Amino acid sequence: MLVRHVGTFTQIGRQDIHVNEPTPLKDLYSNIAVGALYNSAERFNAPTCHPDTRKAVQREIHQWMVDGDPNKRILWLTGPAGAGKSAIMGSIAEVLHREGKLGASFFFSSFSGSANRKSKRCFVTTLAYQLQQHAELRARLRKPVMAAIEEDPSIFGKGLKHQMNGLLLEPLRDTCERGSLATPALQIILVDGVDECEGMEQPDSSRPGWQLSMETDQTEVLSVLLQAARDRAFPCRIIVASRPETWIRRFLTGVGPAAPLTTEIFLDEKFYPDQDIDKYLRQEFAELRSWYRSLPPTWPSEQDIKTLVTNASGQFVYPATIIRFVKSVRSKTPQELLEIALEIKPPDASKPFAQLDALYTSILLSSSRPDTTVQWLKAHQILSNRRRNATLDAWFFECLCQSLPGEAEQVLGSLPSLIFRPTPDPRGSQPTAYIFYHKSFLDYLQDPERCVPLPLTDNGTVERWICSRLGIVLKCNGPEVAIDDESLVPQFKEAFLHCWYGFMAGRSIPAELLLPCDVGLWIKYSETLQDASVLKAFQRDMFVMAHANCRPFRPCRHVCQRWRAALSAPSVPQQWRVTDDLSPLAIVLDRFCVNRAQSCRDDYPIA
């Protein structure tokens, strides 16, 4: 389902939606996660199975679809990190799409792409949109789905259970003959990465309840799938892929509510991962030899292939990273790079993911500044998780972090085997984000026991560094490294203020960075934003930080006086110049700190 922009239309498949036309279909489209579709532009380089690999597991999945127990309407594909679940799901999606049997797909991702791909918010609406678009279901679903939206426009704000019932199950029941069953397995729904659906914007073990919230959201996603699978009118079977997290296994197997309807496929040695990894490596190295005529036909040796297969331990992410590493670095020959990879030894081979972790460590240490590289990567992860339904643009992130021209290339240029860095496109209609090839790499970065011997910084240190970078932008009235095209500075500033809104709640910037900044310019610029929440957050945060260290019954510090003067100037909008005791202006003028404790954005949520 390719998305492209043509004039004032957004074209999806065969359906044109005029972006200014207030229709139920437009409302539905505006509440879906386009990036979660299996063939979205956001997933343009998503993994699929290499030719002639993973045939055994694909055959078993196909057998379930064709000859499986009709009462087992859910298939759970599971296995450890790096086992190749997403690649298998991608290949299955392509086959089903060609055969006209793909009803809908949703590929969750907690580490790559748009914020809606890590959230449950658009899950049911995205499935409903695809199903009412499908050629075999359009006649049954289109009119009743549109009628349901017209009758209750608030459905997009309701829980997933109510959305599933209102947008899919009731329309399907209405179009079925009384007492008749929908044709089993008419279509297949694919849901990949349920374990990556996050319950909070920033999964952080220091925040109480974060894991429980994540578990609850993942269970809710599974619950609505079970709700659909139990319904006699629902014409689809469902394939779910995830890691074998405890709460997911508890829901789908044993005495769990979905157990009677679920078939499990666990990716272990019975599916011949070593043979498939061997095939994959031989085919990729053959392609490399065709690129480099100087490579001998006997390269790599049989022993080299055997060593790589053994090191992989059944994890497809390992050989995939090795191949990207050998292909990506132009300063050395493929033989030299493979030799480097083969010499990597984990400090403790008995640990899970030991060889993969050693490979990640070696690649990061190849950077000229590994400590800065790790700091940038962690900062990117923190800021990405705190973006509210928006993508962290790579161009903005690099402008924010750079203190010297070309620093981004120096810091991240050695990581093409781990990260895809898009060509900067600040004038594009959509932000371009980094793409991390596998979630296991980000899991590795967050676990200090796996990152030995990297120079590590804890999240608190990284967050303070982010605060300092934001403060430097204030001080410089823009990024520290000037943007060549001055017409892009307003775009950077707007992205900066939205980044501020998502990140700065409860944090502070050193006074030495606040004091020299041009207060009037930033106040004036923030007032041009359309989003009143961002305006309110920025102006109040700035005063609270400036006023934070002023002592009661003493004159305020110079930095505080400058911000107070700017915020109480006649140019401040009228809505700020109200008289109640907790108005922004009252807080600004509160030299005795009576209201300061109540000024920290308690009246609206930030993160």
Side-chain angles (χ1 to χ4, degrees):
M1 192 173 284
L2 179 64
V3 178
R4 64 180 184 272
H5 297 285
V6 185
T8 59
F9 288 84
T10 301
Q11 184 168 333
I12 301 187
R14 300 179 181 177
Q15 186 68 31
D16 291 335
I17 307 169
H18 197 288
V19 296
N20 296 318
E21 184 181 351
T23 64
L25 188 57
K26 176 179 176 290
D27 291 340
L28 179 58
Y29 172 70
S30 65
N31 284 278
I32 71 171
V34 177
L37 309 185
Y38 96 92
N39 56 354
S40 69
E42 191 173 296
R43 299 189 71 252
F44 75 97
N45 62 347
T48 56
C49 296
H50 203 272
D52 299 324
T53 65
R54 314 318 303 262
K55 294 295 186 181
V57 64
Q58 290 187 64
R59 279 196 301 270
E60 186 155 333
I61 293 172
H62 182 74
Q63 185 176 0
W64 172 83
M65 289 189 287
V66 175
D67 300 320
D69 183 347
N71 294 317
K72 299 282 189 178
R73 304 189 70 186
I74 299 174
L75 174 67
W76 182 33
L77 178 66
T78 187
K85 299 180 292 295
S86 291
I88 294 169
M89 292 288 276
S91 294
I92 293 293
E94 290 183 347
V95 172
L96 291 173
H97 180 73
R98 287 197 301 269
E99 297 176 350
K101 295 180 180 179
L102 180 63
S105 61
F106 198 105
F107 281 70
F108 283 102
S109 176
S110 64
F111 64 96
S112 179
S114 57
N116 282 336
R117 286 185 62 194
K118 68 179 74 173
S119 167
K120 67 179 182 180
R121 188 182 73 84
C122 295
F123 177 65
V124 172
T125 52
T126 303
L127 299 185
Y129 182 86
Q130 294 172 84
L131 289 170
Q132 62 84 35
Q133 288 277 92
H134 197 280
E136 294 188 24
L137 296 173
R138 188 181 299 127
R140 288 180 60 188
L141 273 177
R142 171 67 59 82
K143 288 184 178 180
V145 169
M146 297 304 106
I149 296 171
E150 284 187 323
E151 184 178 341
D152 183 12
S154 69
I155 194 166
F156 301 116
K158 293 185 176 180
L160 299 190
K161 178 180 178 181
H162 295 284
Q163 289 184 7
M164 176 63 77
N165 197 55
L167 291 176
L168 280 175
L169 299 183
E170 286 187 357
L172 284 167
R173 294 186 203 114
D174 290 344
T175 57
C176 283
E177 294 181 5
R178 186 176 297 276
S180 67
L181 282 169
T183 305
L186 174 64
Q187 299 295 328
I188 302 295
I189 290 177
L190 300 180
V191 183
D192 181 61
V194 172
D195 55 295
E196 296 185 37
C197 175
E198 295 180 354
M200 301 177 74
E201 290 190 34
Q202 171 63 17
D204 184 350
S205 57
S206 66
R207 297 174 64 175
W210 74 270
Q211 188 169 11
L212 179 61
S213 176
M214 182 173 66
E215 175 183 342
T216 301
D217 279 35
Q218 293 172 11
T219 303
E220 186 178 2
V221 167
L222 295 173
S223 295
V224 296
L225 292 175
L226 176 60
Q227 176 188 358
R230 284 172 168 169
D231 199 286
R232 296 160 59 88
F234 192 66
C236 304
R237 301 180 84 179
I238 301 163
I239 302 178
V240 176
S242 76
R243 295 183 186 183
E245 305 291 2
T246 302
W247 51 89
I248 296 177
R249 177 167 294 281
R250 187 188 307 129
F251 187 92
L252 293 173
T253 64
V255 295
L261 280 73
T262 303
T263 296
E264 178 185 352
I265 295 180
F266 191 91
L267 294 175
D268 55 16
E269 60 276 2
K270 80 172 184 177
F271 290 108
Y272 316 115
D274 286 357
Q275 293 182 19
D276 286 340
I277 291 171
D278 184 279
K279 289 179 184 177
Y280 168 75
L281 288 169
R282 292 180 187 278
Q283 291 172 0
E284 289 294 327
F285 282 125
E287 183 179 13
L288 264 173
R289 290 194 297 270
S290 70
W291 291 0
Y292 297 89
R293 299 294 183 180
S294 59
L295 292 173
T298 56
W299 178 86
S301 68
E302 289 295 321
Q303 183 57 46
D304 291 343
I305 295 287
K306 183 178 179 181
T307 299
L308 292 174
V309 172
T310 301
N311 290 347
S313 301
Q315 299 162 343
F316 268 81
V317 63
Y318 177 84
T321 305
I322 288 286
I323 293 299
R324 285 195 298 267
F325 176 68
V326 173
K327 286 181 177 180
S328 61
V329 182
R330 300 301 180 189
S331 59
K332 292 182 172 65
T333 67
Q335 292 114 309
E336 291 173 322
L337 293 169
L338 179 60
E339 194 63 33
I340 291 171
L342 289 168
E343 290 176 356
I344 296 172
K345 304 297 181 185
D348 184 355
S350 65
K351 290 185 177 181
F353 310 110
Q355 197 69 44
L356 180 63
D357 290 350
L359 176 60
Y360 286 155
T361 300
S362 178
I363 293 173
L364 288 171
L365 288 174
S366 69
S367 168
S368 59
R369 296 163 58 190
D371 53 342
T372 305
T373 299
V374 172
Q375 183 169 255
W376 279 38
L377 292 172
K378 288 194 170 186
H380 183 274
Q381 192 171 12
I382 289 170
L383 290 176
S384 295
N385 286 332
R386 293 180 187 252
R387 297 285 285 178
R388 310 188 94 196
N389 299 321
T391 299
L392 180 60
D393 184 72
W395 170 79
F396 165 74
F397 177 74
E398 293 184 3
C399 286
L400 175 67
C401 294
Q402 286 188 128
S403 56
L404 296 169
E407 186 177 15
E409 181 61 32
Q410 185 183 31
V411 172
L412 300 177
S414 62
L415 308 181
S417 57
L418 303 177
I419 305 170
F420 172 76
R421 290 176 64 210
T423 302
D425 185 22
R427 297 189 184 278
S429 59
Q430 297 293 329
T432 51
Y434 295 140
I435 296 176
F436 293 84
Y437 289 118
H438 203 273
K439 186 177 183 293
S440 64
F441 174 56
L442 296 179
D443 294 341
Y444 156 88
L445 282 176
Q446 292 301 317
D447 188 344
E449 293 186 2
R450 294 177 61 184
C451 294
V452 179
L454 275 179
L456 291 179
T457 50
D458 60 84
N459 281 1
T461 302
V462 175
E463 290 181 2
R464 288 190 291 274
W465 179 77
I466 295 172
C467 288
S468 71
R469 295 309 305 171
L470 295 174
I472 288 171
V473 171
L474 290 174
K475 176 183 175 182
C476 298
N477 195 32
E480 186 174 9
V481 177
I483 299 173
D484 293 335
D485 186 347
E486 291 188 2
S487 66
L488 295 174
V489 173
Q491 182 174 328
F492 172 86
K493 288 184 176 180
E494 182 173 357
F496 165 82
L497 290 173
H498 282 274
C499 179
W500 179 288
Y501 176 58
F503 173 75
M504 280 302 297
R507 296 178 175 83
S508 63
I509 286 174
E512 60 268 19
L513 294 176
L514 293 180
L515 184 60
C517 75
D518 192 326
V519 177
L521 278 179
W522 280 105
I523 294 295
K524 183 178 179 181
Y525 186 79
S526 66
E527 290 164 2
T528 66
L529 297 179
Q530 299 295 318
D531 192 331
S533 297
V534 176
L535 163 67
K536 184 179 180 182
F538 176 72
Q539 295 192 349
R540 186 177 293 186
D541 285 353
M542 292 310 302
F543 177 74
V544 169
M545 284 190 291
H547 192 48
N549 293 319
C550 295
R551 298 176 64 184
F553 306 102
R554 298 284 181 89
C556 286
R557 298 179 308 154
H558 182 47
V559 63
C560 182
Q561 293 173 14
R562 292 183 68 227
W563 279 96
R564 184 189 309 113
L567 289 170
S568 58
S571 61
V572 174
Q574 182 64 33
Q575 62 266 29
W576 274 70
R577 305 180 66 80
V578 289
T579 57
D580 61 276
D581 290 339
L582 289 180
S583 70
L585 187 59
I587 292 169
V588 165
L589 299 176
D590 175 28
R591 291 181 55 202
F592 300 106
C593 308
V594 175
N595 293 320
R596 190 172 70 198
Q598 296 172 277
S599 68
C600 297
R601 304 195 285 183
D602 291 336
D603 54 333
Y604 57 93
I606 294 296

